[in-house]
Amino acid sequence: ETIGVRSEGRHLNPGSPILAPRSFNCMDPHPDRSIGYAGLSEAEAAARLHRYGPNELPRSKRRDVPAIAIEVLREPMFLLLVAGGAIYLLLGDLQEALILLVSVFVVIGITVYQELKTERALEALRDLSSPRALVMRGGLERRIAGRDVVPGDLVVLHEGDRVPADGVMLECNELSADESLLTGESLPVSKRAAGANIQEMAKPGGDGQPFVFSGSLVVQGFGRVRILATGAQTQIGAIGRALENLEIQNTPLQVQTAQVVRVFAGIGLVLCLAVVVLYGLLRGDWLAGLLAGITLAMAVLPEEFPVVLTVFLALGAWRISKKKVLTRRMPAIETLGSATVLCVDKTGTLTENRMAVAELAAAGLLHHAGHGALPALVVPVIRFAALACEVEPFDPMERAIVGYAADRDAESTRLRGQWRLVREYDLTRNLLAVTHCWREQEGGEVVVASKGAPEAIAALCRADASQTASILDETSRMASRGRRVLGVAHAHFEGGEFPADPREFRFEFAGLIALADPVRRTVPHALKECYDAGIRVVMITGDYPGTALSIAGDIGLKSPGGVLTGDQIERMSNAQLRSRVADVGIFARVAPQQKLALVEALKANGEIVAMTGDGVNDAPALKSAHIGVAMGGRGTDVAREASSLVLLDDDFKSIVEAVRLGRRIYDNIVHAM
């Protein structure tokens, strides 16, 4: 029990066998295995902080006024204005020179104003506070800033904590973590304590790993972690380093305007030379011929183009901001309107990024949540599932169950509020179920509720082979629709002393409860609008193929080529991948480097690619795509800084609205030209 001490400043039991030093290869080249349960000393922690640097990712430098102005002046259109003004000055035509140069300053002013507004809005979206970490220092628990965590630190993790750095689990009490920012998985993954032969960090994703990763969120349980990597050496840091090798490509509008400038500059130069030569040969006045040639060239050059482009794009950025979309790069507005393929992440973009009760099954009846009143047969399922949840749930599934019970079954709320929780049996490896014992009044009967893996619940109920097969068949059908399925059981207990093992209760099977990440209501209609507009939509997710297929069916996403997984992509050549991406619309269990490969393959096929994402794992693909669209609400700083547009409401519908506006703006630019 002394291992679970939470209060700061208290000593742990030095005899604890759980935190005995383990043998593993740490990224720290000088691991101090004598630290053991006590953690680092303050002196050693300070030395390591000096050696490895703070535990934070390098941020891209915030763009100031000179930086934005220089970016504007690099564009060929603006160089044209500056060159024209300079020539007029050399010719002594001060009035024309001032008109052109004032235009330059107006154009720069509009662009700088628009992009500085975006930078300030993005700053407001950042989480400026460094996540705190509970570490062992000299045998004492201490709260420190996350940036002060160093390799070798012993970090204590509780439910609700953000993992400050990559590390290996030394002790694990039913700990689960949400790693969606790194993997795209919509459900938390379970962790286990490390064995003695840990050689290196594995990649994030999947259940049963002994590693935790920086940026992930502990949704359940308790654990102690030895930190192996901090800052840029973490999995998040590796993705950040990969971004440095990607160059932001010019948009189609920038390419087209550069071509226009080259064409007109070439015409102007040819005409200038022709006039100079003809004037000099026919009239013999070469100086007058030179002035006449320059004058004609200046008359031919379209100095209005940069002004038109800047004003229309600035107005477009303002209009799109009204649709909850921030523009980080103004040419991206036109590009989004030109998009032929829209690559979207599933979790949070197509779905709401939360767990919700989807289905309830009991005695052969399947009830879809939200479809009318609860049938009497399934009421015990939600009631006992709620009683098997924590009093103050943090786990997303438990919060969904308790919330649904409160909305649909008032008796559940009354029981949880008035009854007293007298005994809990935690989930274990041998029994994947949680059991809670409730008593209405002192000395009264005890109601026992249990929820967990359907096969574990079937075993608790002592179901025979036929009953177990029926339960598992129904479970398979629900799981095939992308659901997370739990079995629910209940029992009554009148004895005095509670048994040591919940298997000793005489449970009755109540039914099954299925949970899922619900689809956003606006998505099916918005997706249809994309198809009507000739835009192909591709789902790229880190989740499982079954879940991806279920969501695709719910929203009407088309995929003639079926589903392609990350493992299959890994085995393909570039040519094979280019061929498959032409008709596959669903990509599942995809790693960050594979997302990048998919975007590159689509670009190689001549598509104009828009990519949405929120996690660190999405950043390389966001930067590589013609137009990267990051989530502003739940997105990471890394994803936002790699993108061209930022959605403030994280809604797929806003992307479609932005595409519509982008097309209108492009048409206006064409008409103006």
Side-chain angles (χ1 to χ4, degrees), residues 220-461:
Q220 176 182 301
F222 166 84
R224 299 186 189 276
V225 176
R226 180 75 69 200
I227 298 301
L228 303 186
T230 60
Q233 301 304 313
T234 61
Q235 288 292 321
I236 285 181
I239 296 173
R241 293 197 305 274
L243 288 173
E244 296 176 359
N245 300 323
L246 291 174
E247 294 293 333
I248 296 178
Q249 296 183 342
N250 287 334
T251 67
L253 181 63
Q254 289 173 311
V255 172
Q256 291 167 8
T257 53
Q259 291 172 346
V260 169
V261 170
R262 283 195 294 269
V263 169
F264 277 98
I267 293 172
L269 181 61
V270 170
L271 288 176
C272 177
L273 292 174
V275 168
V276 171
V277 172
L278 289 173
Y279 200 107
L281 291 176
L282 295 176
R283 299 191 180 183
D285 190 344
W286 291 94
L287 178 60
L290 177 62
L291 294 176
I294 292 175
T295 302
L296 179 59
M298 290 302 301
V300 171
L301 296 180
E303 298 96 337
E304 298 85 2
F305 275 19
V307 179
V308 169
L309 282 173
T310 301
V311 171
F312 275 67
L313 290 177
L315 286 173
W318 175 74
R319 285 178 179 173
I320 287 179
S321 69
K322 302 299 182 184
K323 302 294 183 181
K324 304 295 184 181
V325 181
L326 282 178
T327 306
R328 298 199 71 214
R329 301 286 184 272
M330 285 209 292
I333 299 168
E334 176 273 336
T335 312
L336 188 59
S338 306
T340 58
V341 174
L342 181 55
C343 299
V344 295
D345 182 38
K346 176 188 72 68
T347 306
T349 306
L350 301 178
T351 65
E352 297 181 9
N353 195 28
R354 66 178 180 86
M355 296 305 294
V357 174
E359 296 170 335
L360 299 163
L365 172 69
L366 179 65
H367 174 72
H368 295 277
H371 292 187
L374 281 180
L377 275 175
V378 300
V379 169
V381 180
I382 188 63
R383 186 171 297 172
F384 289 113
L387 288 173
C389 294
E390 296 293 332
V391 176
E392 295 182 2
F394 183 82
D395 178 82
M397 289 194 294
E398 290 200 345
R399 292 174 66 178
I401 291 170
V402 171
Y404 185 80
D407 290 340
R408 297 304 182 96
D409 180 37
E411 183 67 8
S412 294
T413 304
R414 187 189 71 80
L415 297 180
R416 284 174 55 85
Q418 296 181 5
W419 288 9
R420 187 166 64 91
L421 182 62
V422 291
R423 179 66 192 265
E424 299 181 55
Y425 297 89
D426 290 333
L427 180 145
T428 66
R429 288 190 187 180
N430 296 326
L431 181 60
L432 299 177
V434 174
T435 302
H436 286 176
C437 302
W438 298 81
R439 177 176 279 139
E440 182 176 6
Q441 58 186 6
E442 198 63 37
E445 184 182 49
V446 172
V447 174
V448 184
S450 184
K451 72 176 190 323
E455 60 272 20
I457 295 298
L460 276 180
C461 296

Side-chain angles (χ1 to χ4, degrees), residues 64-232:
D64 52 15
V65 173
I68 296 175
I70 290 172
E71 285 183 20
V72 174
L73 289 173
R74 284 177 181 168
E75 294 293 326
M77 279 290 180
F78 298 105
L79 291 175
L80 178 66
L81 279 179
V82 175
I87 291 173
Y88 276 124
L89 280 176
L90 291 174
L91 292 176
D93 192 340
L94 186 61
Q95 181 179 353
E96 291 291 338
L98 286 177
I99 290 174
L100 281 184
L101 292 177
V102 166
S103 298
V104 172
F105 287 113
V106 169
V107 166
I108 292 175
I110 292 174
T111 307
V112 169
Y113 173 73
Q114 180 63 42
E115 299 209 9
L116 278 181
K117 275 177 54 180
T118 300
E119 290 293 328
R120 285 195 294 270
L122 287 171
E123 285 295 323
L125 289 171
R126 298 185 200 277
D127 180 12
L128 297 177
S129 60
S130 173
R132 309 274 298 167
L134 183 61
V135 300
M136 296 299 302
R137 292 282 173 85
L140 294 174
E141 288 187 351
R142 284 195 54 205
R143 283 276 178 197
I144 63 172
R147 69 187 307 275
D148 294 332
V149 172
V150 297
D153 255 330
L154 183 64
V155 174
V156 182
L157 294 177
H158 294 293
E159 191 174 278
D161 287 346
R162 182 75 64 178
V163 179
D166 291 4
V168 61
M169 300 290 305
L170 300 186
E171 177 194 354
C172 180
N173 182 17
E174 309 308 332
L175 188 140
S176 296
D178 177 358
E179 296 179 351
S180 58
L181 290 181
L182 286 169
T183 65
E185 290 176 306
S186 58
L187 295 174
V189 291
S190 62
K191 299 296 177 181
R192 64 177 176 84
N197 297 316
I198 297 297
Q199 297 299 317
E200 59 183 11
M201 291 285 294
K203 299 296 183 184
D207 285 312
Q209 281 203 42
F211 303 106
V212 290
F213 302 92
S214 177
S216 58
L217 179 69
V218 178
V219 298
Q220 176 182 301
F222 166 84
R224 299 186 189 276
V225 176
R226 180 75 69 200
I227 298 301
L228 303 186
T230 60

Side-chain angles (χ1 to χ4, degrees), residues 19-43:
L19 294 180
R22 308 253 183 172
S23 175
F24 53 83
N25 183 18
C26 179
M27 290 184 69
D28 172 8
H30 307 289
D32 184 358
R33 293 185 175 83
S34 66
I35 295 167
Y37 69 90
L40 298 172
S41 67
E42 291 294 343

